[in-house]
Amino acid sequence: MRDPRLLFERYGRQLLVDGVSVEGQARLGRLCAVLAHDTSEVARSAAHACGRWLVGAGVGRLVVTSGGADELRALDADLEVLPSPADAEPPCAQFWFARRDYGASVDVALTDEPAGWATGRSAAARVTTLRWVVGAPAQPEDAVALGAAAADLLVADALGLEPMPLLLTVDWSNPADPHSKRTPRPVEAVPVGVALAADVAPLLPRLRALPAEWGRIEAEVEARYPNEACGFVVRDTDGNLCSVAAPNLQDRYHALDPESYPRTARTAYKLNERAVAKAESDGAELVCIWHSHCDAGAYFSAEDVRCAAPGGVALFPGVAYLVLAVMGGRVRGVAMYHFDATSGGFAAELG
Amino acid sequence: MPITIKIPTPLRKFTADKDAVQVEAATVGEALRALDGRHPGLWQKLVDGDGADAKVKRFINVYAGEDDIRFLDGLATAVADGAEIAIIPAIAGGG
């Protein structure tokens, strides 16, 4: 918010809402929203609607990845319009789909540390991200409702009013509550009955606190670019974490059976499972499986989910999955995921 | 001498928690058929199809010795007496 006096003039009523308060409103004013979307009209409408609602709620800065943003210039927020997504350096490595064909899709993130967050290396930045894919039947006017709903969720999450849902499904038949089909992000991190091989949720900071292991992973994924790299982390019998790089066998499987393995190592990985079995037979405990996404964000893709939990059954339920985004040969973002039996999905730990 | 099939953790609920099952077979396909006979339903968990074009599901690897049977003769891969077949979940994905 450019003028602090507007805080009371504009948001006087909103400040009365439990949980917003003067501090919450001021916090929104310090946040930056980054909106990325593909070139479809539906996605553009959804993204810009989301931006308008975020600014309406008091978010102070917008970064958008598209042209045609004139309608956003009139808003009371600092606005930065990046060049064409296809040519631009990614504004945020946590999501980046511009060079991929995901259909009509939108990514939006709220962060309080845009500079550190843009490098993908800041563990301090508080980031809330939401991705949605706009269904084919949707029209631009539908997308506006979805953009507004997304803004609601982001603001609530940023203020700690309500955690961001793990999954968001839009019910177009119920415009009064289009995000009614949300799947809540579970509060209990580890459901009873699921034996975790390690405390996977806080694993990422612990791994990063091991410079040698972390450097080994980063060096490996950058060296393998533009192909995906993969490997795993084990805890040895002395309790030490140790990263092991493994060959990506995807091209070999693709050459053998392109029907079953349509992707090459450029966009997929297949780890040599025997290497994991050998480490385990030596007494080590598999803690984490890591791989890179090349010129794509650090997220758990649909393909990652299909392979890690075919039919909804996790193959390694107690193991964390680390994803590193490599843009132009450099690591620009990381995220870690683990299977959550309560939701049947993968919960994220961004960093 | 029987063939030993190593069962991965996610599939042990189908084998009464056994981590290995011993069967008599001359090929990997026969071994998996025998496994399914002992613990019904496992064939469908492991294999797509039922006839000559049947192949191991993409999310599963079946190793005969040190090799993925996809790079051998698939389900027709011969196994010697006393051999070990390992069923291992695939570790794969992609952005």
Side-chain angles (χ1 to χ4, degrees), chain B residues 33-90:
Chain B
R33 283 286 187 203
L35 176 66
D36 186 64
R38 196 86 57 83
H39 303 285
L42 272 176
W43 177 269
Q44 283 190 320
K45 294 282 178 196
L46 301 171
V47 179
D48 281 326
D50 216 16
D53 60 345
K55 60 183 177 183
V56 175
K57 285 182 184 289
R58 189 179 149 214
F59 307 113
I60 295 289
N61 296 313
V62 178
Y63 281 81
E66 290 299 311
D67 297 309
D68 185 334
I69 63 166
R70 293 184 181 91
F71 295 96
L72 301 173
D73 291 327
L75 293 169
T77 301
V79 285
D81 281 351
E84 182 178 294
I85 295 171
I87 300 169
I88 302 180

Short mmCIF file of all heavy atoms in Angstrom, two decimals, chain B residues 33-90:
data_model
loop_
_atom_site.label_atom_id
_atom_site.label_comp_id
_atom_site.label_asym_id
_atom_site.label_seq_id
_atom_site.Cartn_x
_atom_site.Cartn_y
_atom_site.Cartn_z
N ARG B 33 2.39 -66.31 -12.10
CA ARG B 33 1.11 -67.06 -12.10
C ARG B 33 0.99 -67.90 -10.84
O ARG B 33 -0.06 -67.95 -10.20
CB ARG B 33 1.03 -67.97 -13.33
CG ARG B 33 0.72 -67.27 -14.62
CD ARG B 33 -0.72 -66.88 -14.68
NE ARG B 33 -1.05 -66.34 -15.99
CZ ARG B 33 -2.07 -65.53 -16.22
NH1 ARG B 33 -2.85 -65.15 -15.22
NH2 ARG B 33 -2.31 -65.09 -17.43
N ALA B 34 2.06 -68.56 -10.49
CA ALA B 34 2.05 -69.41 -9.30
C ALA B 34 1.86 -68.55 -8.04
O ALA B 34 1.14 -68.94 -7.11
CB ALA B 34 3.35 -70.20 -9.21
N LEU B 35 2.46 -67.37 -8.05
CA LEU B 35 2.29 -66.45 -6.92
C LEU B 35 0.83 -66.04 -6.81
O LEU B 35 0.26 -65.99 -5.71
CB LEU B 35 3.18 -65.22 -7.13
CG LEU B 35 3.07 -64.12 -6.09
CD1 LEU B 35 3.59 -64.58 -4.73
CD2 LEU B 35 3.86 -62.88 -6.55
N ASP B 36 0.23 -65.75 -7.97
CA ASP B 36 -1.18 -65.35 -7.98
C ASP B 36 -2.07 -66.51 -7.52
O ASP B 36 -3.10 -66.30 -6.87
CB ASP B 36 -1.57 -64.92 -9.40
CG ASP B 36 -2.99 -64.37 -9.46
OD1 ASP B 36 -3.24 -63.32 -8.84
OD2 ASP B 36 -3.84 -65.01 -10.12
N GLY B 37 -1.67 -67.73 -7.86
CA GLY B 37 -2.44 -68.89 -7.40
C GLY B 37 -2.40 -69.02 -5.89
O GLY B 37 -3.40 -69.39 -5.25
N ARG B 38 -1.29 -68.67 -5.32
CA ARG B 38 -1.13 -68.74 -3.87
C ARG B 38 -1.78 -67.54 -3.18
O ARG B 38 -2.35 -67.66 -2.11
CB ARG B 38 0.38 -68.75 -3.57
CG ARG B 38 0.81 -69.19 -2.18
CD ARG B 38 0.96 -70.69 -2.07
NE ARG B 38 1.90 -71.24 -3.04
CZ ARG B 38 3.22 -71.27 -2.88
NH1 ARG B 38 3.76 -70.78 -1.79
NH2 ARG B 38 3.99 -71.84 -3.79
N HIS B 39 -1.67 -66.39 -3.80
CA HIS B 39 -2.20 -65.15 -3.23
C HIS B 39 -2.99 -64.42 -4.33
O HIS B 39 -2.44 -63.52 -5.00
CB HIS B 39 -1.07 -64.26 -2.70
CG HIS B 39 -0.21 -64.95 -1.68
ND1 HIS B 39 -0.63 -65.16 -0.38
CD2 HIS B 39 1.02 -65.48 -1.77
CE1 HIS B 39 0.32 -65.78 0.29
NE2 HIS B 39 1.33 -66.00 -0.53
N PRO B 40 -4.24 -64.80 -4.50
CA PRO B 40 -5.04 -64.29 -5.64
C PRO B 40 -5.10 -62.76 -5.68
O PRO B 40 -5.21 -62.10 -4.65
CB PRO B 40 -6.42 -64.89 -5.38
CG PRO B 40 -6.16 -66.11 -4.55
CD PRO B 40 -4.98 -65.76 -3.69
N GLY B 41 -5.01 -62.25 -6.89
CA GLY B 41 -5.11 -60.81 -7.10
C GLY B 41 -3.78 -60.15 -7.42
O GLY B 41 -3.73 -59.02 -7.91
N LEU B 42 -2.70 -60.85 -7.12
CA LEU B 42 -1.39 -60.23 -7.33
C LEU B 42 -1.04 -60.06 -8.81
O LEU B 42 -0.36 -59.11 -9.18
CB LEU B 42 -0.30 -61.05 -6.62
CG LEU B 42 -0.06 -60.65 -5.15
CD1 LEU B 42 0.96 -61.55 -4.50
CD2 LEU B 42 0.40 -59.20 -5.07
N TRP B 43 -1.50 -61.01 -9.63
CA TRP B 43 -1.20 -60.88 -11.07
C TRP B 43 -1.70 -59.54 -11.58
O TRP B 43 -0.98 -58.82 -12.29
CB TRP B 43 -1.86 -62.03 -11.84
CG TRP B 43 -1.67 -61.94 -13.33
CD1 TRP B 43 -2.48 -61.33 -14.23
CD2 TRP B 43 -0.56 -62.48 -14.09
NE1 TRP B 43 -1.97 -61.45 -15.50
CE2 TRP B 43 -0.79 -62.15 -15.44
CE3 TRP B 43 0.58 -63.21 -13.75
CZ2 TRP B 43 0.08 -62.52 -16.46
CZ3 TRP B 43 1.44 -63.58 -14.77
CH2 TRP B 43 1.20 -63.23 -16.10
N GLN B 44 -2.93 -59.21 -11.22
CA GLN B 44 -3.51 -57.95 -11.70
C GLN B 44 -2.79 -56.74 -11.13
O GLN B 44 -2.80 -55.66 -11.73
CB GLN B 44 -5.00 -57.88 -11.34
CG GLN B 44 -5.86 -58.74 -12.26
CD GLN B 44 -7.32 -58.47 -12.04
OE1 GLN B 44 -7.74 -58.30 -10.91
NE2 GLN B 44 -8.10 -58.45 -13.11
N LYS B 45 -2.21 -56.89 -9.97
CA LYS B 45 -1.46 -55.79 -9.38
C LYS B 45 -0.13 -55.57 -10.11
O LYS B 45 0.42 -54.47 -10.09
CB LYS B 45 -1.16 -56.07 -7.90
CG LYS B 45 -2.39 -56.12 -7.03
CD LYS B 45 -2.86 -54.72 -6.73
CE LYS B 45 -4.13 -54.77 -5.88
NZ LYS B 45 -4.82 -53.47 -5.89
N LEU B 46 0.37 -56.63 -10.71
CA LEU B 46 1.73 -56.58 -11.25
C LEU B 46 1.79 -56.50 -12.77
O LEU B 46 2.76 -56.00 -13.33
CB LEU B 46 2.51 -57.84 -10.82
CG LEU B 46 2.66 -58.06 -9.31
CD1 LEU B 46 3.25 -59.44 -9.03
CD2 LEU B 46 3.53 -56.97 -8.71
N VAL B 47 0.77 -57.03 -13.42
CA VAL B 47 0.86 -57.25 -14.87
C VAL B 47 -0.34 -56.63 -15.58
O VAL B 47 -1.47 -56.71 -15.09
CB VAL B 47 0.94 -58.76 -15.17
CG1 VAL B 47 1.02 -58.99 -16.68
CG2 VAL B 47 2.13 -59.39 -14.46
N ASP B 48 -0.08 -56.00 -16.71
CA ASP B 48 -1.15 -55.55 -17.61
C ASP B 48 -1.36 -56.63 -18.65
O ASP B 48 -0.41 -57.08 -19.30
CB ASP B 48 -0.74 -54.25 -18.30
CG ASP B 48 -0.91 -53.03 -17.41
OD1 ASP B 48 -1.85 -53.03 -16.59
OD2 ASP B 48 -0.08 -52.11 -17.51
N GLY B 49 -2.62 -57.03 -18.85
CA GLY B 49 -2.93 -58.03 -19.85
C GLY B 49 -2.83 -59.44 -19.29
O GLY B 49 -2.38 -59.66 -18.17
N ASP B 50 -3.26 -60.35 -20.14
CA ASP B 50 -3.34 -61.73 -19.67
C ASP B 50 -2.75 -62.72 -20.67
O ASP B 50 -2.42 -63.84 -20.33
CB ASP B 50 -4.82 -62.08 -19.44
CG ASP B 50 -4.99 -62.99 -18.24
OD1 ASP B 50 -4.05 -63.09 -17.46
OD2 ASP B 50 -6.07 -63.61 -18.13
N GLY B 51 -2.64 -62.28 -21.91
CA GLY B 51 -2.21 -63.21 -22.95
C GLY B 51 -0.75 -63.05 -23.30
O GLY B 51 0.08 -62.71 -22.44
N ALA B 52 -0.47 -63.27 -24.58
CA ALA B 52 0.92 -63.24 -25.03
C ALA B 52 1.51 -61.84 -24.93
O ALA B 52 2.73 -61.67 -24.83
CB ALA B 52 1.01 -63.74 -26.47
N ASP B 53 0.63 -60.82 -24.98
CA ASP B 53 1.15 -59.44 -24.94
C ASP B 53 1.20 -58.87 -23.51
O ASP B 53 1.42 -57.69 -23.32
CB ASP B 53 0.30 -58.53 -25.82
CG ASP B 53 -1.16 -58.50 -25.36
OD1 ASP B 53 -1.54 -59.38 -24.56
OD2 ASP B 53 -1.89 -57.59 -25.80
N ALA B 54 0.98 -59.74 -22.54
CA ALA B 54 1.02 -59.27 -21.14
C ALA B 54 2.39 -58.71 -20.81
O ALA B 54 3.41 -59.25 -21.25
CB ALA B 54 0.67 -60.43 -20.20
N LYS B 55 2.41 -57.62 -20.05
CA LYS B 55 3.71 -57.08 -19.62
C LYS B 55 3.59 -56.45 -18.25
O LYS B 55 2.50 -56.02 -17.83
CB LYS B 55 4.28 -56.12 -20.64
CG LYS B 55 3.47 -54.90 -20.96
CD LYS B 55 4.20 -54.11 -22.05
CE LYS B 55 3.41 -52.90 -22.48
NZ LYS B 55 4.06 -52.18 -23.58
N VAL B 56 4.71 -56.38 -17.60
CA VAL B 56 4.75 -55.85 -16.24
C VAL B 56 4.32 -54.40 -16.24
O VAL B 56 4.67 -53.63 -17.14
CB VAL B 56 6.18 -55.98 -15.66
CG1 VAL B 56 6.27 -55.32 -14.29
CG2 VAL B 56 6.58 -57.44 -15.57
N LYS B 57 3.53 -54.03 -15.25
CA LYS B 57 3.06 -52.66 -15.17
C LYS B 57 4.23 -51.69 -15.06
O LYS B 57 5.29 -52.02 -14.54
CB LYS B 57 2.15 -52.49 -13.93
CG LYS B 57 0.76 -53.10 -14.08
CD LYS B 57 -0.05 -52.84 -12.84
CE LYS B 57 -1.41 -53.52 -12.90
NZ LYS B 57 -2.31 -52.90 -13.88
N ARG B 58 3.96 -50.48 -15.53
CA ARG B 58 5.02 -49.48 -15.59
C ARG B 58 5.58 -49.13 -14.20
O ARG B 58 6.74 -48.76 -14.07
CB ARG B 58 4.41 -48.23 -16.23
CG ARG B 58 5.37 -47.17 -16.58
CD ARG B 58 4.63 -46.01 -17.23
NE ARG B 58 5.32 -44.77 -16.91
CZ ARG B 58 4.72 -43.61 -16.72
NH1 ARG B 58 3.43 -43.52 -16.81
NH2 ARG B 58 5.41 -42.54 -16.45
N PHE B 59 4.75 -49.23 -13.18
CA PHE B 59 5.18 -48.81 -11.85
C PHE B 59 5.85 -49.93 -11.06
O PHE B 59 6.17 -49.77 -9.90
CB PHE B 59 3.99 -48.27 -11.06
CG PHE B 59 3.24 -47.21 -11.79
CD1 PHE B 59 1.96 -47.42 -12.24
CD2 PHE B 59 3.86 -46.00 -12.09
CE1 PHE B 59 1.28 -46.43 -12.93
CE2 PHE B 59 3.20 -45.02 -12.78
CZ PHE B 59 1.90 -45.23 -13.22
N ILE B 60 6.01 -51.04 -11.73
CA ILE B 60 6.60 -52.21 -11.08
C ILE B 60 7.83 -52.64 -11.88
O ILE B 60 7.83 -52.59 -13.12
CB ILE B 60 5.58 -53.37 -11.05
CG1 ILE B 60 4.37 -53.01 -10.18
CG2 ILE B 60 6.23 -54.66 -10.57
CD1 ILE B 60 4.66 -52.95 -8.70
N ASN B 61 8.84 -53.08 -11.20
CA ASN B 61 9.97 -53.72 -11.86
C ASN B 61 10.08 -55.15 -11.35
O ASN B 61 9.89 -55.40 -10.16
CB ASN B 61 11.27 -53.00 -11.54
CG ASN B 61 11.28 -51.57 -12.06
OD1 ASN B 61 10.92 -51.33 -13.21
ND2 ASN B 61 11.65 -50.64 -11.22
N VAL B 62 10.35 -56.04 -12.25
CA VAL B 62 10.60 -57.42 -11.86
C VAL B 62 12.03 -57.75 -12.31
O VAL B 62 12.35 -57.65 -13.50
CB VAL B 62 9.60 -58.38 -12.50
CG1 VAL B 62 9.93 -59.82 -12.12
CG2 VAL B 62 8.17 -58.04 -12.07
N TYR B 63 12.84 -58.08 -11.35
CA TYR B 63 14.22 -58.40 -11.63
C TYR B 63 14.45 -59.90 -11.55
O TYR B 63 13.99 -60.56 -10.61
CB TYR B 63 15.16 -57.72 -10.64
CG TYR B 63 15.41 -56.26 -10.95
CD1 TYR B 63 14.48 -55.29 -10.57
CD2 TYR B 63 16.56 -55.85 -11.59
CE1 TYR B 63 14.71 -53.95 -10.86
CE2 TYR B 63 16.80 -54.52 -11.88
CZ TYR B 63 15.87 -53.57 -11.52
OH TYR B 63 16.09 -52.25 -11.80
N ALA B 64 15.11 -60.43 -12.55
CA ALA B 64 15.60 -61.81 -12.49
C ALA B 64 17.10 -61.70 -12.32
O ALA B 64 17.80 -61.26 -13.24
CB ALA B 64 15.25 -62.57 -13.77
N GLY B 65 17.56 -62.01 -11.14
CA GLY B 65 18.97 -61.76 -10.85
C GLY B 65 19.21 -60.26 -10.81
O GLY B 65 18.49 -59.53 -10.14
N GLU B 66 20.16 -59.77 -11.59
CA GLU B 66 20.51 -58.36 -11.56
C GLU B 66 19.79 -57.54 -12.62
O GLU B 66 19.99 -56.34 -12.72
CB GLU B 66 22.03 -58.21 -11.77
CG GLU B 66 22.87 -58.71 -10.60
CD GLU B 66 22.57 -57.95 -9.31
OE1 GLU B 66 22.55 -56.71 -9.35
OE2 GLU B 66 22.33 -58.62 -8.29
N ASP B 67 18.99 -58.20 -13.46
CA ASP B 67 18.43 -57.51 -14.62
C ASP B 67 16.92 -57.35 -14.54
O ASP B 67 16.19 -58.27 -14.14
CB ASP B 67 18.78 -58.28 -15.89
CG ASP B 67 20.27 -58.33 -16.12
OD1 ASP B 67 20.90 -57.27 -16.09
OD2 ASP B 67 20.81 -59.45 -16.28
N ASP B 68 16.46 -56.18 -14.98
CA ASP B 68 15.03 -55.94 -15.19
C ASP B 68 14.61 -56.85 -16.34
O ASP B 68 15.22 -56.81 -17.42
CB ASP B 68 14.82 -54.46 -15.53
CG ASP B 68 13.35 -54.08 -15.65
OD1 ASP B 68 12.53 -54.97 -15.97
OD2 ASP B 68 13.04 -52.90 -15.45
N ILE B 69 13.54 -57.62 -16.14
CA ILE B 69 13.16 -58.59 -17.19
C ILE B 69 12.71 -57.91 -18.47
O ILE B 69 12.66 -58.54 -19.52
CB ILE B 69 12.05 -59.54 -16.71
CG1 ILE B 69 10.77 -58.78 -16.37
CG2 ILE B 69 12.54 -60.38 -15.52
CD1 ILE B 69 9.56 -59.67 -16.23
N ARG B 70 12.43 -56.60 -18.41
CA ARG B 70 12.08 -55.89 -19.65
C ARG B 70 13.24 -55.95 -20.64
O ARG B 70 13.03 -55.90 -21.84
CB ARG B 70 11.74 -54.43 -19.35
CG ARG B 70 10.46 -54.24 -18.54
CD ARG B 70 10.15 -52.76 -18.38
NE ARG B 70 8.95 -52.54 -17.60
CZ ARG B 70 8.93 -52.38 -16.27
NH1 ARG B 70 10.06 -52.41 -15.59
NH2 ARG B 70 7.80 -52.20 -15.64
N PHE B 71 14.45 -56.01 -20.10
CA PHE B 71 15.62 -56.05 -20.98
C PHE B 71 16.08 -57.48 -21.25
O PHE B 71 17.10 -57.70 -21.87
CB PHE B 71 16.76 -55.23 -20.35
CG PHE B 71 16.43 -53.76 -20.27
CD1 PHE B 71 15.93 -53.22 -19.10
CD2 PHE B 71 16.58 -52.94 -21.37
CE1 PHE B 71 15.60 -51.87 -19.02
CE2 PHE B 71 16.26 -51.59 -21.31
CZ PHE B 71 15.76 -51.05 -20.14
N LEU B 72 15.31 -58.43 -20.76
CA LEU B 72 15.56 -59.83 -21.07
C LEU B 72 14.44 -60.29 -21.99
O LEU B 72 14.21 -59.67 -23.01
CB LEU B 72 15.63 -60.64 -19.76
CG LEU B 72 16.73 -60.16 -18.77
CD1 LEU B 72 16.62 -60.89 -17.45
CD2 LEU B 72 18.11 -60.34 -19.38
N ASP B 73 13.73 -61.31 -21.63
CA ASP B 73 12.63 -61.78 -22.47
C ASP B 73 11.27 -61.50 -21.83
O ASP B 73 10.29 -62.21 -22.07
CB ASP B 73 12.77 -63.28 -22.73
CG ASP B 73 13.96 -63.58 -23.62
OD1 ASP B 73 14.24 -62.75 -24.51
OD2 ASP B 73 14.61 -64.62 -23.42
N GLY B 74 11.21 -60.47 -21.02
CA GLY B 74 9.94 -60.14 -20.38
C GLY B 74 9.46 -61.28 -19.51
O GLY B 74 10.25 -61.94 -18.83
N LEU B 75 8.16 -61.50 -19.54
CA LEU B 75 7.60 -62.56 -18.70
C LEU B 75 8.05 -63.95 -19.15
O LEU B 75 7.93 -64.92 -18.39
CB LEU B 75 6.06 -62.47 -18.71
CG LEU B 75 5.50 -61.21 -18.02
CD1 LEU B 75 4.01 -61.07 -18.29
CD2 LEU B 75 5.76 -61.27 -16.51
N ALA B 76 8.56 -64.03 -20.37
CA ALA B 76 9.05 -65.33 -20.86
C ALA B 76 10.49 -65.60 -20.42
O ALA B 76 11.06 -66.65 -20.77
CB ALA B 76 8.96 -65.37 -22.39
N THR B 77 11.06 -64.67 -19.66
CA THR B 77 12.44 -64.88 -19.20
C THR B 77 12.55 -66.17 -18.40
O THR B 77 11.80 -66.40 -17.45
CB THR B 77 12.87 -63.68 -18.33
OG1 THR B 77 12.78 -62.48 -19.10
CG2 THR B 77 14.29 -63.86 -17.81
N ALA B 78 13.49 -66.99 -18.80
CA ALA B 78 13.67 -68.28 -18.11
C ALA B 78 14.36 -68.07 -16.76
O ALA B 78 15.20 -67.18 -16.61
CB ALA B 78 14.52 -69.20 -18.98
N VAL B 79 13.97 -68.86 -15.81
CA VAL B 79 14.61 -68.80 -14.49
C VAL B 79 15.08 -70.22 -14.12
O VAL B 79 14.36 -71.21 -14.34
CB VAL B 79 13.66 -68.26 -13.40
CG1 VAL B 79 13.51 -66.77 -13.54
CG2 VAL B 79 12.30 -68.93 -13.45
N ALA B 80 16.25 -70.27 -13.59
CA ALA B 80 16.81 -71.57 -13.21
C ALA B 80 16.35 -71.95 -11.81
O ALA B 80 15.91 -71.10 -11.03
CB ALA B 80 18.33 -71.48 -13.26
N ASP B 81 16.44 -73.20 -11.53
CA ASP B 81 16.11 -73.67 -10.18
C ASP B 81 16.94 -72.91 -9.16
O ASP B 81 18.14 -72.69 -9.35
CB ASP B 81 16.43 -75.17 -10.05
CG ASP B 81 15.34 -76.03 -10.68
OD1 ASP B 81 14.30 -75.45 -11.04
OD2 ASP B 81 15.55 -77.24 -10.81
N GLY B 82 16.29 -72.49 -8.11
CA GLY B 82 17.00 -71.78 -7.04
C GLY B 82 17.17 -70.30 -7.31
O GLY B 82 17.74 -69.59 -6.48
N ALA B 83 16.68 -69.84 -8.45
CA ALA B 83 16.86 -68.42 -8.78
C ALA B 83 15.99 -67.53 -7.89
O ALA B 83 15.05 -68.00 -7.23
CB ALA B 83 16.51 -68.18 -10.24
N GLU B 84 16.33 -66.26 -7.89
CA GLU B 84 15.56 -65.29 -7.12
C GLU B 84 14.95 -64.26 -8.05
O GLU B 84 15.65 -63.71 -8.91
CB GLU B 84 16.44 -64.61 -6.08
CG GLU B 84 15.69 -63.62 -5.21
CD GLU B 84 16.59 -62.98 -4.15
OE1 GLU B 84 17.06 -63.73 -3.27
OE2 GLU B 84 16.82 -61.77 -4.24
N ILE B 85 13.68 -64.02 -7.88
CA ILE B 85 12.98 -62.97 -8.62
C ILE B 85 12.62 -61.88 -7.61
O ILE B 85 12.06 -62.18 -6.56
CB ILE B 85 11.70 -63.51 -9.29
CG1 ILE B 85 12.06 -64.55 -10.36
CG2 ILE B 85 10.88 -62.37 -9.89
CD1 ILE B 85 10.85 -65.28 -10.92
N ALA B 86 12.94 -60.64 -7.94
CA ALA B 86 12.62 -59.55 -7.02
C ALA B 86 11.60 -58.61 -7.65
O ALA B 86 11.79 -58.16 -8.78
CB ALA B 86 13.89 -58.77 -6.67
N ILE B 87 10.52 -58.39 -6.94
CA ILE B 87 9.54 -57.39 -7.37
C ILE B 87 9.88 -56.10 -6.64
O ILE B 87 9.93 -56.07 -5.40
CB ILE B 87 8.10 -57.85 -7.01
CG1 ILE B 87 7.79 -59.17 -7.70
CG2 ILE B 87 7.09 -56.78 -7.39
CD1 ILE B 87 6.51 -59.82 -7.21
N ILE B 88 10.12 -55.04 -7.40
CA ILE B 88 10.56 -53.78 -6.78
C ILE B 88 9.72 -52.63 -7.34
O ILE B 88 9.64 -52.47 -8.56
CB ILE B 88 12.05 -53.52 -7.08
CG1 ILE B 88 12.90 -54.69 -6.58
CG2 ILE B 88 12.51 -52.22 -6.44
CD1 ILE B 88 14.39 -54.53 -6.85
N PRO B 89 9.11 -51.85 -6.48
CA PRO B 89 8.36 -50.69 -6.99
C PRO B 89 9.29 -49.75 -7.74
O PRO B 89 10.44 -49.53 -7.33
CB PRO B 89 7.83 -50.03 -5.71
CG PRO B 89 7.93 -51.05 -4.64
CD PRO B 89 9.08 -51.95 -5.02
N ALA B 90 8.79 -49.19 -8.83
CA ALA B 90 9.60 -48.26 -9.60
C ALA B 90 9.77 -46.95 -8.84
O ALA B 90 8.88 -46.53 -8.10
CB ALA B 90 8.95 -48.00 -10.95
#
